[in-house]
Amino acid sequence: MSQKLVVRSHTGSDLARYIPELAQLRIRVFRDFPYLYEGDLDYERRYLETYTRSPGSVIVLVFDGNDIVGASTGLPLSDETTTSLHRSSSRATTLRRSSISASPCCCRTTAAGA
């Protein structure tokens, strides 16, 4: 890792170019405890495309050189897809009370080849 990390925010269609790398990062991060999520690149790409269609979305990316090593996402709940909301009605009720869906992805690095 270089000594200088760069943080940049992106919105709407500006996010499209980062989807492949962000999808891979989400899978790497959510694979570990406590999530233990076995991700799927196609699902992650489809999910992240929701952010490109929403003019109110934001993704804050942390770069180490050209590599994305951290991210946090936000999306108005009115733009959220039904597949990404939990099916639990109590969880959905809780989510409706908020105006933004924030999803901290990570802020860590992974070793080359990991």
Side-chain angles (χ1 to χ4, degrees):
M1 177 176 3
S2 69
Q3 292 190 326
K4 185 174 181 180
L5 299 177
V6 176
V7 178
R8 287 183 273 186
S9 63
H10 300 273
T11 60
S13 62
D14 182 42
L15 305 171
R17 63 183 167 153
Y18 299 108
I19 287 178
E21 191 173 357
L22 188 54
Q24 291 175 355
L25 178 66
R26 285 174 50 89
I27 289 172
R28 282 195 312 267
V29 169
F30 292 132
R31 182 181 319 148
D32 293 338
F33 184 82
Y35 306 104
L36 305 176
Y37 167 67
E38 290 295 325
D40 173 91
L41 276 177
D42 289 331
Y43 169 81
E44 290 296 332
R45 287 181 181 140
R46 284 191 313 273
Y47 171 73
L48 291 167
E49 285 173 359
T50 301
Y51 291 82
T52 66
R53 292 187 298 272
S54 172
S57 69
V58 63
I59 294 184
V60 178
L61 300 173
V62 181
F63 291 87
D64 181 7
N66 292 325
D67 298 325
I68 297 174
V69 296
S72 184
T73 61
L75 182 71
L77 285 177
S78 60
D79 293 342
E80 187 66 273
T81 61
T82 57
T83 58
S84 57
L85 291 174
H86 293 276
R87 299 207 185 277
S88 162
S89 61
S90 62
R91 175 73 173 149
T93 301
T94 303
L95 288 174
R96 281 190 210 103
R97 292 182 184 145
S98 302
S99 61
I100 295 276
S101 168
S103 175
C105 182
C106 75
C107 197
R108 69 176 237 191
T109 60
T110 57

